[in-house]
Amino acid sequence: MDLAVVLVNELAVTQARGRPVVPPADRRAALDAAFVQHGWVPSRALTGADADRLAGVAAELHPAFAAGPAAPAVLNQALIRHGAVPNLHGDPPVLAFHSPDADLVDAWAADTGTALAMVIGVGQGVRLRSCEAASCDVVFFDVTRNASRRFCGLSCQNRAKASAYRARRRT
């Protein structure tokens, strides 16, 4: 789940916290920095071609965070395209949702797509959220007890509340 959030936020978001986001010129370096920030170590180093393909995967997964009626269809197409199929492989065996011989991008796409599909499938799709602040497309997984989180962070929350306050004062 976290990988899906990182991919979408690093590679598919066009506005964040009230400012336009310029897509990273070096996608591989941006992903490497995001992985370090989250303490992740990929099984192998990403190439530039991998990062470019992951940008396409991020664009595919972004609509799933809207949790609208189109989310299941979008995810189903992504799961088929990337060959998501549950299996055990490795020593010791681990559950994965990609074939053992899948390349890194298809493996990550299948695994992240399956994680999103599982969240939606168990009725928790409302927890897949996109920031409600104007001019912010950042996505997140809402872990609050009552699934009430509306903003990606305090800066967006403060901007939205200040804007609403100013609008009330004008009327």
Side-chain angles (χ1 to χ4, degrees):
M1 176 61 57
D2 291 337
L3 180 58
V5 170
V6 168
L7 289 176
V8 171
N9 287 338
E10 290 296 323
L11 302 174
V13 168
T14 58
Q15 297 183 47
R17 294 170 182 80
R19 295 184 178 95
V21 173
V22 178
D26 186 355
R27 291 176 174 146
R28 188 188 60 77
L31 287 174
D32 286 342
F35 294 157
V36 167
Q37 181 181 357
H38 287 86
W40 297 339
V41 180
S43 58
R44 71 170 178 84
L46 289 175
T47 65
D50 290 339
D52 291 341
R53 287 183 57 212
L54 284 170
V57 170
E60 278 182 312
L61 298 179
H62 194 208
F65 286 90
V74 168
L75 280 175
N76 284 338
Q77 291 172 353
L79 293 171
I80 291 167
R81 185 174 15 267
H82 297 288
V85 60
N87 66 82
L88 295 168
H89 62 266
D91 188 29
V94 294
L95 177 63
F97 293 90
H98 61 274
S99 65
D101 59 342
D103 67 7
L104 182 70
V105 174
D106 284 332
W108 284 8
D111 289 349
T112 57
T114 301
L116 292 173
M118 285 179 168
V119 168
I120 293 170
V122 296
Q124 295 298 311
V126 296
R127 293 186 180 274
L128 299 174
R129 305 292 300 267
S130 184
C131 185
E132 292 182 15
S135 65
C136 186
D137 296 332
V138 172
V139 300
F140 56 91
F141 181 71
D142 183 0
V143 295
T144 60
R145 181 178 293 190
N146 60 355
S148 62
R149 184 173 166 194
R150 298 176 44 213
F151 303 102
C152 65
L154 284 177
S155 62
C156 281
Q157 180 178 347
N158 290 340
R159 273 187 307 103
K161 287 185 176 187
S163 178
Y165 172 78
R166 287 190 295 272
R168 284 192 309 272
R169 298 281 296 183
R170 277 187 233 120
T171 59

